[in-house]
PDB file of all heavy atoms in Angstrom:
ATOM      1  N   MET A   1     157.550  15.127  63.541  1.00 88.00           N
ATOM      2  CA  MET A   1     158.485  16.331  63.519  1.00 88.00           C
ATOM      3  C   MET A   1     159.799  15.806  64.084  1.00 88.00           C
ATOM      4  O   MET A   1     159.863  15.056  64.946  1.00 88.00           O
ATOM      5  CB  MET A   1     157.888  17.300  64.328  1.00 88.00           C
ATOM      6  CG  MET A   1     156.620  17.974  63.949  1.00 88.00           C
ATOM      7  SD  MET A   1     156.770  18.885  62.323  1.00 88.00           S
ATOM      8  CE  MET A   1     157.365  20.435  62.867  1.00 88.00           C
ATOM      9  N   ASN A 103     172.776  17.772  57.927  1.00 96.00           N
ATOM     10  CA  ASN A 103     173.473  17.955  56.605  1.00 96.00           C
ATOM     11  C   ASN A 103     174.507  18.917  56.854  1.00 96.00           C
ATOM     12  O   ASN A 103     174.562  19.734  57.858  1.00 96.00           O
ATOM     13  CB  ASN A 103     172.451  18.712  55.791  1.00 96.00           C
ATOM     14  CG  ASN A 103     172.632  18.212  54.278  1.00 96.00           C
ATOM     15  OD1 ASN A 103     173.598  17.666  53.960  1.00 96.00           O
ATOM     16  ND2 ASN A 103     171.497  18.299  53.535  1.00 96.00           N
ATOM     17  N   ARG A 132     168.397  33.567  54.221  1.00 98.00           N
ATOM     18  CA  ARG A 132     168.669  33.166  55.596  1.00 98.00           C
ATOM     19  C   ARG A 132     168.942  34.314  56.436  1.00 98.00           C
ATOM     20  O   ARG A 132     168.755  34.209  57.765  1.00 98.00           O
ATOM     21  CB  ARG A 132     169.753  32.212  55.668  1.00 98.00           C
ATOM     22  CG  ARG A 132     169.467  30.817  55.181  1.00 98.00           C
ATOM     23  CD  ARG A 132     170.534  29.825  55.546  1.00 98.00           C
ATOM     24  NE  ARG A 132     170.419  28.595  54.795  1.00 98.00           N
ATOM     25  CZ  ARG A 132     171.466  27.826  54.475  1.00 98.00           C
ATOM     26  NH1 ARG A 132     172.670  28.026  55.021  1.00 98.00           N
ATOM     27  NH2 ARG A 132     171.147  26.662  53.702  1.00 98.00           N
ATOM     28  N   GLU A 163     140.693  34.772  39.784  1.00 98.00           N
ATOM     29  CA  GLU A 163     141.970  34.719  39.135  1.00 98.00           C
ATOM     30  C   GLU A 163     141.598  34.919  37.672  1.00 98.00           C
ATOM     31  O   GLU A 163     140.721  34.242  37.014  1.00 98.00           O
ATOM     32  CB  GLU A 163     142.449  33.237  39.202  1.00 98.00           C
ATOM     33  CG  GLU A 163     142.947  32.972  40.768  1.00 98.00           C
ATOM     34  CD  GLU A 163     143.379  31.501  40.893  1.00 98.00           C
ATOM     35  OE1 GLU A 163     144.203  30.944  40.035  1.00 98.00           O
ATOM     36  OE2 GLU A 163     142.688  30.940  41.749  1.00 98.00           O
ATOM     37  N   GLN A 188     151.136  31.454  16.142  1.00 93.00           N
ATOM     38  CA  GLN A 188     150.353  32.288  17.061  1.00 93.00           C
ATOM     39  C   GLN A 188     151.041  32.473  18.470  1.00 93.00           C
ATOM     40  O   GLN A 188     151.805  31.670  18.779  1.00 93.00           O
ATOM     41  CB  GLN A 188     148.908  31.924  17.196  1.00 93.00           C
ATOM     42  CG  GLN A 188     148.296  31.785  15.868  1.00 93.00           C
ATOM     43  CD  GLN A 188     146.758  31.652  15.860  1.00 93.00           C
ATOM     44  OE1 GLN A 188     146.187  32.086  16.714  1.00 93.00           O
ATOM     45  NE2 GLN A 188     146.235  30.873  14.936  1.00 93.00           N
ATOM     46  N   TYR A 190     150.410  33.873  22.582  1.00 96.00           N
ATOM     47  CA  TYR A 190     149.783  34.532  23.744  1.00 96.00           C
ATOM     48  C   TYR A 190     150.644  35.671  24.228  1.00 96.00           C
ATOM     49  O   TYR A 190     151.763  35.760  23.765  1.00 96.00           O
ATOM     50  CB  TYR A 190     149.698  33.550  24.980  1.00 96.00           C
ATOM     51  CG  TYR A 190     149.019  32.349  24.707  1.00 96.00           C
ATOM     52  CD1 TYR A 190     149.693  31.101  24.486  1.00 96.00           C
ATOM     53  CD2 TYR A 190     147.557  32.214  24.791  1.00 96.00           C
ATOM     54  CE1 TYR A 190     149.101  29.917  24.315  1.00 96.00           C
ATOM     55  CE2 TYR A 190     146.960  31.008  24.469  1.00 96.00           C
ATOM     56  CZ  TYR A 190     147.729  29.771  24.292  1.00 96.00           C
ATOM     57  OH  TYR A 190     147.135  28.629  24.117  1.00 96.00           O
ATOM     58  N   ASP A 209     130.509  42.534  40.761  1.00 98.00           N
ATOM     59  CA  ASP A 209     130.367  43.593  41.822  1.00 98.00           C
ATOM     60  C   ASP A 209     131.459  44.241  42.505  1.00 98.00           C
ATOM     61  O   ASP A 209     131.672  45.415  42.518  1.00 98.00           O
ATOM     62  CB  ASP A 209     129.173  43.154  42.719  1.00 98.00           C
ATOM     63  CG  ASP A 209     128.514  44.411  43.292  1.00 98.00           C
ATOM     64  OD1 ASP A 209     127.781  44.963  42.546  1.00 98.00           O
ATOM     65  OD2 ASP A 209     128.631  44.808  44.475  1.00 98.00           O
ATOM     66  N   THR A 232     154.051  42.603  41.150  1.00 98.00           N
ATOM     67  CA  THR A 232     152.703  42.146  41.699  1.00 98.00           C
ATOM     68  C   THR A 232     151.886  43.335  41.933  1.00 98.00           C
ATOM     69  O   THR A 232     152.341  44.450  42.414  1.00 98.00           O
ATOM     70  CB  THR A 232     152.996  41.493  43.082  1.00 98.00           C
ATOM     71  OG1 THR A 232     153.833  40.275  42.680  1.00 98.00           O
ATOM     72  CG2 THR A 232     151.712  40.805  43.562  1.00 98.00           C
ATOM     73  N   ASP A 245     133.402  56.706  46.533  1.00 97.00           N
ATOM     74  CA  ASP A 245     133.355  55.308  47.068  1.00 97.00           C
ATOM     75  C   ASP A 245     134.679  54.545  47.001  1.00 97.00           C
ATOM     76  O   ASP A 245     135.144  53.824  47.922  1.00 97.00           O
ATOM     77  CB  ASP A 245     132.263  54.550  46.452  1.00 97.00           C
ATOM     78  CG  ASP A 245     130.910  55.243  46.725  1.00 97.00           C
ATOM     79  OD1 ASP A 245     130.544  55.678  47.721  1.00 97.00           O
ATOM     80  OD2 ASP A 245     130.161  55.242  45.652  1.00 97.00           O
ATOM     81  N   HIS A 487     131.454  53.636  31.059  1.00 93.00           N
ATOM     82  CA  HIS A 487     130.643  52.440  30.864  1.00 93.00           C
ATOM     83  C   HIS A 487     129.639  52.630  29.651  1.00 93.00           C
ATOM     84  O   HIS A 487     128.882  51.805  29.367  1.00 93.00           O
ATOM     85  CB  HIS A 487     130.019  52.070  32.032  1.00 93.00           C
ATOM     86  CG  HIS A 487     128.929  52.951  32.491  1.00 93.00           C
ATOM     87  ND1 HIS A 487     129.244  54.083  33.221  1.00 93.00           N
ATOM     88  CD2 HIS A 487     127.585  53.049  32.434  1.00 93.00           C
ATOM     89  CE1 HIS A 487     128.080  54.788  33.430  1.00 93.00           C
ATOM     90  NE2 HIS A 487     127.010  54.177  32.899  1.00 93.00           N
ATOM     91  N   TYR A 519     126.305  44.731  26.334  1.00 96.00           N
ATOM     92  CA  TYR A 519     125.362  43.945  26.865  1.00 96.00           C
ATOM     93  C   TYR A 519     125.133  44.266  28.429  1.00 96.00           C
ATOM     94  O   TYR A 519     125.024  43.480  29.261  1.00 96.00           O
ATOM     95  CB  TYR A 519     125.897  42.451  26.832  1.00 96.00           C
ATOM     96  CG  TYR A 519     125.831  41.891  25.455  1.00 96.00           C
ATOM     97  CD1 TYR A 519     126.987  41.858  24.793  1.00 96.00           C
ATOM     98  CD2 TYR A 519     124.599  41.473  24.856  1.00 96.00           C
ATOM     99  CE1 TYR A 519     126.943  41.379  23.372  1.00 96.00           C
ATOM    100  CE2 TYR A 519     124.553  40.889  23.622  1.00 96.00           C
ATOM    101  CZ  TYR A 519     125.732  40.821  22.897  1.00 96.00           C
ATOM    102  OH  TYR A 519     125.702  40.347  21.606  1.00 96.00           O
ATOM    103  N   GLY A 556     167.300  42.119  33.565  1.00 92.00           N
ATOM    104  CA  GLY A 556     166.137  41.091  33.437  1.00 92.00           C
ATOM    105  C   GLY A 556     166.533  39.749  33.725  1.00 92.00           C
ATOM    106  O   GLY A 556     165.835  38.793  33.342  1.00 92.00           O
ATOM    107  N   PRO A 564     167.210  34.453  31.579  1.00 94.00           N
ATOM    108  CA  PRO A 564     166.923  33.573  30.447  1.00 94.00           C
ATOM    109  C   PRO A 564     168.035  32.741  29.943  1.00 94.00           C
ATOM    110  O   PRO A 564     169.197  33.100  30.167  1.00 94.00           O
ATOM    111  CB  PRO A 564     166.245  34.455  29.343  1.00 94.00           C
ATOM    112  CG  PRO A 564     166.948  35.798  29.679  1.00 94.00           C
ATOM    113  CD  PRO A 564     167.080  35.847  31.204  1.00 94.00           C
ATOM    114  N   ASN A 578     162.030  30.305  14.426  1.00 75.00           N
ATOM    115  CA  ASN A 578     163.565  30.513  14.197  1.00 75.00           C
ATOM    116  C   ASN A 578     164.056  31.579  15.008  1.00 75.00           C
ATOM    117  O   ASN A 578     163.596  32.812  14.832  1.00 75.00           O
ATOM    118  CB  ASN A 578     163.804  30.899  12.697  1.00 75.00           C
ATOM    119  CG  ASN A 578     163.827  29.628  11.821  1.00 75.00           C
ATOM    120  OD1 ASN A 578     164.148  28.612  12.320  1.00 75.00           O
ATOM    121  ND2 ASN A 578     163.351  29.752  10.552  1.00 75.00           N
TER     122      ASN A 578
ATOM    123  N   MET B   1     127.961  55.997  46.667  1.00 88.00           N
ATOM    124  CA  MET B   1     127.424  54.805  46.117  1.00 88.00           C
ATOM    125  C   MET B   1     126.122  55.120  45.335  1.00 88.00           C
ATOM    126  O   MET B   1     125.485  55.900  45.675  1.00 88.00           O
ATOM    127  CB  MET B   1     127.105  53.720  47.126  1.00 88.00           C
ATOM    128  CG  MET B   1     128.293  53.091  48.027  1.00 88.00           C
ATOM    129  SD  MET B   1     129.316  52.049  46.928  1.00 88.00           S
ATOM    130  CE  MET B   1     128.365  50.464  47.008  1.00 88.00           C
ATOM    131  N   TYR B  43     124.078  39.593  44.427  1.00 98.00           N
ATOM    132  CA  TYR B  43     123.577  39.116  45.801  1.00 98.00           C
ATOM    133  C   TYR B  43     122.206  38.437  45.733  1.00 98.00           C
ATOM    134  O   TYR B  43     121.970  37.699  46.491  1.00 98.00           O
ATOM    135  CB  TYR B  43     123.642  40.296  46.696  1.00 98.00           C
ATOM    136  CG  TYR B  43     124.963  40.969  46.708  1.00 98.00           C
ATOM    137  CD1 TYR B  43     125.043  42.159  45.851  1.00 98.00           C
ATOM    138  CD2 TYR B  43     126.076  40.547  47.400  1.00 98.00           C
ATOM    139  CE1 TYR B  43     126.438  42.920  45.763  1.00 98.00           C
ATOM    140  CE2 TYR B  43     127.282  41.140  47.218  1.00 98.00           C
ATOM    141  CZ  TYR B  43     127.331  42.227  46.502  1.00 98.00           C
ATOM    142  OH  TYR B  43     128.632  42.897  46.515  1.00 98.00           O
ATOM    143  N   ASN B 103     122.426  51.774  31.714  1.00 96.00           N
ATOM    144  CA  ASN B 103     123.085  51.307  30.500  1.00 96.00           C
ATOM    145  C   ASN B 103     121.989  50.407  29.799  1.00 96.00           C
ATOM    146  O   ASN B 103     121.236  49.637  30.438  1.00 96.00           O
ATOM    147  CB  ASN B 103     124.316  50.599  30.767  1.00 96.00           C
ATOM    148  CG  ASN B 103     125.392  50.931  29.693  1.00 96.00           C
ATOM    149  OD1 ASN B 103     125.027  51.393  28.531  1.00 96.00           O
ATOM    150  ND2 ASN B 103     126.663  50.551  30.021  1.00 96.00           N
ATOM    151  N   ARG B 132     127.120  35.847  34.671  1.00 98.00           N
ATOM    152  CA  ARG B 132     126.019  36.372  35.378  1.00 98.00           C
ATOM    153  C   ARG B 132     125.049  35.304  35.773  1.00 98.00           C
ATOM    154  O   ARG B 132     124.287  35.596  36.669  1.00 98.00           O
ATOM    155  CB  ARG B 132     125.285  37.418  34.372  1.00 98.00           C
ATOM    156  CG  ARG B 132     125.982  38.692  34.043  1.00 98.00           C
ATOM    157  CD  ARG B 132     125.056  39.577  33.225  1.00 98.00           C
ATOM    158  NE  ARG B 132     125.848  40.694  32.737  1.00 98.00           N
ATOM    159  CZ  ARG B 132     125.427  41.520  31.782  1.00 98.00           C
ATOM    160  NH1 ARG B 132     124.286  41.266  31.168  1.00 98.00           N
ATOM    161  NH2 ARG B 132     126.221  42.477  31.354  1.00 98.00           N
ATOM    162  N   GLU B 163     155.849  34.393  47.126  1.00 98.00           N
ATOM    163  CA  GLU B 163     155.649  34.485  45.604  1.00 98.00           C
ATOM    164  C   GLU B 163     157.000  34.100  44.891  1.00 98.00           C
ATOM    165  O   GLU B 163     158.098  34.737  45.014  1.00 98.00           O
ATOM    166  CB  GLU B 163     155.262  35.893  45.131  1.00 98.00           C
ATOM    167  CG  GLU B 163     153.931  36.365  45.603  1.00 98.00           C
ATOM    168  CD  GLU B 163     153.600  37.703  45.198  1.00 98.00           C
ATOM    169  OE1 GLU B 163     153.666  38.113  44.033  1.00 98.00           O
ATOM    170  OE2 GLU B 163     153.381  38.562  46.125  1.00 98.00           O
ATOM    171  N   GLN B 188     167.502  34.480  23.777  1.00 93.00           N
ATOM    172  CA  GLN B 188     167.409  33.668  24.871  1.00 93.00           C
ATOM    173  C   GLN B 188     165.850  33.819  25.255  1.00 93.00           C
ATOM    174  O   GLN B 188     165.153  34.529  24.877  1.00 93.00           O
ATOM    175  CB  GLN B 188     168.213  34.126  26.074  1.00 93.00           C
ATOM    176  CG  GLN B 188     169.794  34.017  25.736  1.00 93.00           C
ATOM    177  CD  GLN B 188     170.582  34.488  26.891  1.00 93.00           C
ATOM    178  OE1 GLN B 188     170.397  34.221  27.965  1.00 93.00           O
ATOM    179  NE2 GLN B 188     171.714  35.122  26.580  1.00 93.00           N
ATOM    180  N   TYR B 190     162.870  32.836  28.592  1.00 96.00           N
ATOM    181  CA  TYR B 190     162.454  32.447  29.884  1.00 96.00           C
ATOM    182  C   TYR B 190     161.530  31.317  29.657  1.00 96.00           C
ATOM    183  O   TYR B 190     161.068  31.015  28.463  1.00 96.00           O
ATOM    184  CB  TYR B 190     161.652  33.480  30.607  1.00 96.00           C
ATOM    185  CG  TYR B 190     162.344  34.829  30.859  1.00 96.00           C
ATOM    186  CD1 TYR B 190     162.136  35.832  29.986  1.00 96.00           C
ATOM    187  CD2 TYR B 190     163.165  34.996  31.982  1.00 96.00           C
ATOM    188  CE1 TYR B 190     162.736  37.183  30.230  1.00 96.00           C
ATOM    189  CE2 TYR B 190     163.835  36.175  32.185  1.00 96.00           C
ATOM    190  CZ  TYR B 190     163.604  37.301  31.266  1.00 96.00           C
ATOM    191  OH  TYR B 190     164.226  38.494  31.524  1.00 96.00           O
ATOM    192  N   THR B 232     145.981  26.203  38.502  1.00 98.00           N
ATOM    193  CA  THR B 232     146.390  26.780  39.816  1.00 98.00           C
ATOM    194  C   THR B 232     146.577  25.644  40.817  1.00 98.00           C
ATOM    195  O   THR B 232     145.955  24.697  40.825  1.00 98.00           O
ATOM    196  CB  THR B 232     145.211  27.598  40.380  1.00 98.00           C
ATOM    197  OG1 THR B 232     144.936  28.591  39.428  1.00 98.00           O
ATOM    198  CG2 THR B 232     145.614  28.380  41.622  1.00 98.00           C
ATOM    199  N   ASP B 245     154.124  13.974  59.372  1.00 97.00           N
ATOM    200  CA  ASP B 245     153.773  15.397  59.732  1.00 97.00           C
ATOM    201  C   ASP B 245     153.086  16.087  58.442  1.00 97.00           C
ATOM    202  O   ASP B 245     152.080  16.911  58.608  1.00 97.00           O
ATOM    203  CB  ASP B 245     155.110  16.243  59.969  1.00 97.00           C
ATOM    204  CG  ASP B 245     155.724  15.598  61.207  1.00 97.00           C
ATOM    205  OD1 ASP B 245     155.086  15.337  62.111  1.00 97.00           O
ATOM    206  OD2 ASP B 245     157.014  15.477  61.089  1.00 97.00           O
ATOM    207  N   HIS B 487     167.513  15.295  50.845  1.00 93.00           N
ATOM    208  CA  HIS B 487     168.240  16.483  51.153  1.00 93.00           C
ATOM    209  C   HIS B 487     169.742  16.159  51.228  1.00 93.00           C
ATOM    210  O   HIS B 487     170.489  17.139  51.549  1.00 93.00           O
ATOM    211  CB  HIS B 487     167.670  17.068  52.360  1.00 93.00           C
ATOM    212  CG  HIS B 487     168.018  16.298  53.612  1.00 93.00           C
ATOM    213  ND1 HIS B 487     167.190  15.268  53.998  1.00 93.00           N
ATOM    214  CD2 HIS B 487     169.006  16.225  54.519  1.00 93.00           C
ATOM    215  CE1 HIS B 487     167.706  14.666  55.045  1.00 93.00           C
ATOM    216  NE2 HIS B 487     168.789  15.322  55.454  1.00 93.00           N
ATOM    217  N   TYR B 519     174.829  23.808  50.750  1.00 96.00           N
ATOM    218  CA  TYR B 519     175.018  24.772  51.800  1.00 96.00           C
ATOM    219  C   TYR B 519     174.056  24.574  52.853  1.00 96.00           C
ATOM    220  O   TYR B 519     173.483  25.457  53.386  1.00 96.00           O
ATOM    221  CB  TYR B 519     174.864  26.162  51.090  1.00 96.00           C
ATOM    222  CG  TYR B 519     175.947  26.531  50.154  1.00 96.00           C
ATOM    223  CD1 TYR B 519     175.936  26.436  48.876  1.00 96.00           C
ATOM    224  CD2 TYR B 519     177.118  27.108  50.809  1.00 96.00           C
ATOM    225  CE1 TYR B 519     176.943  26.779  47.994  1.00 96.00           C
ATOM    226  CE2 TYR B 519     178.183  27.391  50.059  1.00 96.00           C
ATOM    227  CZ  TYR B 519     178.084  27.245  48.572  1.00 96.00           C
ATOM    228  OH  TYR B 519     179.164  27.624  47.782  1.00 96.00           O
ATOM    229  N   GLY B 556     143.417  25.078  23.449  1.00 92.00           N
ATOM    230  CA  GLY B 556     144.151  26.085  24.253  1.00 92.00           C
ATOM    231  C   GLY B 556     143.843  27.493  23.790  1.00 92.00           C
ATOM    232  O   GLY B 556     144.583  28.365  24.065  1.00 92.00           O
ATOM    233  N   PRO B 564     145.263  32.428  21.331  1.00 94.00           N
ATOM    234  CA  PRO B 564     146.450  33.233  20.938  1.00 94.00           C
ATOM    235  C   PRO B 564     146.230  33.785  19.560  1.00 94.00           C
ATOM    236  O   PRO B 564     145.153  33.474  18.841  1.00 94.00           O
ATOM    237  CB  PRO B 564     147.610  32.221  20.728  1.00 94.00           C
ATOM    238  CG  PRO B 564     146.920  30.860  20.453  1.00 94.00           C
ATOM    239  CD  PRO B 564     145.604  30.897  21.330  1.00 94.00           C
ATOM    240  N   ASN B 578     161.942  34.769  14.041  1.00 75.00           N
ATOM    241  CA  ASN B 578     161.240  34.425  12.812  1.00 75.00           C
ATOM    242  C   ASN B 578     160.303  33.470  13.084  1.00 75.00           C
ATOM    243  O   ASN B 578     160.590  32.303  13.426  1.00 75.00           O
ATOM    244  CB  ASN B 578     162.185  33.916  11.742  1.00 75.00           C
ATOM    245  CG  ASN B 578     162.915  35.063  11.108  1.00 75.00           C
ATOM    246  OD1 ASN B 578     162.390  36.175  10.902  1.00 75.00           O
ATOM    247  ND2 ASN B 578     164.080  34.793  10.557  1.00 75.00           N
TER     248      ASN B 578
END
Side-chain angles (χ1 to χ4, degrees):
Chain A
M1 296 290 280
N103 220 341
R132 284 190 195 162
E163 294 171 57
Q188 299 186 37
Y190 302 98
D209 205 73
T232 305
D245 301 317
H487 65 280
Y519 291 99
N578 275 334
Chain B
M1 296 289 280
Y43 311 93
N103 220 340
R132 286 192 194 158
E163 294 170 57
Q188 299 185 37
Y190 301 98
T232 305
D245 301 317
H487 65 280
Y519 290 99
N578 275 334

